[in-house]
Amino acid sequence: AVLRLRTAEVAQVAVTDGTIAAAGADRLQVTVSAGSANAARSTLTVGRTALGAADTTLVSVTVRDADGNVLAGATAASFVASASIGTLGAWSCSAGTCSAVYTATAMGTASIAATVGGSSVGGSPASVTVSPGAPAQLAIGTSAATAASGAAFGTQPVIEVRDAAGYRTSSTIAVTLTASSGGTIVGTATVNAVNGYATFSGVGLSGLAGTYTLSYGAAGLTSVTQPITLTAGSAARFEVTGSASQ
């Protein structure tokens, strides 16, 4: 007969016909160790599956044999792990479970996977959704340019609404354009962002020729500025000075 022990442990084995109880001295002590790593019984777990920009979560791989016994001596070499749109830190292993920190580096859906012997472990791949954080600041996507007094800018400004980490949000907040002393905004100075973009149209600056500062602001957000050089506009009138002579 073949006796198979499936649980990693120190087992006591005795043979009896069922009518005679085996005494302690009649028992055989057997140490049962875990077998080889098995992909189907090993598992991948992810702490959080919804992250913000630059957020982190703990990723763990537990390595088991075909009978589900944990391989206590498992190391990072026992499996192969990968992650998209982010990075995995160094692995730390203890009692058959190896853990590493995943850091999101871009927006989208990250895929975190682990394999043993070329086959995916249980729970792999795991999906992690990375989304922007709350609106925190404005940034210039396209600077206003080509400014003649009283006329619309030749290049209209586009402002992005970003989170604290610098990723564009889907905010619809109102963004307002103002000018430094001596300059007056012409056209519609306030626009609502669409999917995080505040796109101005037909806006310009009026004032004496010179250099001005344009400021873009929104309630509760860090504003952003840009310099712009204003040139004289088209002639609106002619003025003759002096006295006429014959």
Side-chain angles (χ1 to χ4, degrees):
V2 176
L3 175 65
R4 182 178 181 185
L5 302 177
R6 296 177 178 272
T7 304
E9 62 180 351
V10 177
Q12 301 289 333
V13 180
V15 178
T16 176
D17 64 0
T19 62
I20 302 174
D26 298 323
R27 297 176 182 272
L28 175 65
Q29 181 171 294
V30 178
T31 300
V32 183
S33 301
S36 301
N38 179 273
R41 300 303 296 271
S42 299
T43 54
L44 168 73
T45 57
V46 176
R48 292 190 296 152
T49 57
L51 303 178
D55 273 355
T56 62
T57 189
L58 192 66
V59 176
S60 299
V61 177
T62 300
V63 183
R64 297 181 173 87
D65 67 10
D67 291 316
N69 296 302
V70 174
L71 274 66
T75 68
S78 302
F79 57 92
V80 176
S82 63
S84 64
I85 64 170
T87 59
L88 285 169
W91 291 92
S92 176
C93 301
S94 176
T97 296
C98 298
S99 299
V101 174
Y102 169 80
T103 302
T105 57
M107 300 297 101
T109 301
S111 178
I112 302 176
T115 61
V116 169
S119 298
S120 295
V121 303
S124 175
S127 294
V128 176
T129 301
V130 186
S131 305
Q137 59 183 319
L138 299 180
I140 296 176
T142 301
S143 297
T146 314
S149 181
F153 298 130
T155 300
Q156 292 290 301
V158 179
I159 306 302
E160 296 183 11
V161 184
R162 299 181 178 180
D163 65 11
Y167 292 101
R168 180 176 54 84
T169 70
S170 58
S171 174
T172 58
I173 196 170
V175 178
T176 299
L177 170 60
T178 57
S180 55
S181 178
T184 302
I185 299 298
V186 296
T188 302
T190 299
V191 299
N192 291 322
V194 177
N195 198 30
Y197 289 108
T199 302
F200 289 84
S201 178
V203 71
L205 179 65
S206 178
L208 297 176
T211 299
Y212 294 82
T213 297
L214 299 180
S215 299
Y216 305 91
L221 307 186
T222 301
S223 61
V224 65
T225 63
Q226 70 157 103
I228 196 164
T229 299
L230 185 66
T231 61
S234 301
R237 66 179 183 176
F238 293 97
E239 183 175 319
V240 178
T241 59
S243 59
S245 62
Q246 294 185 354

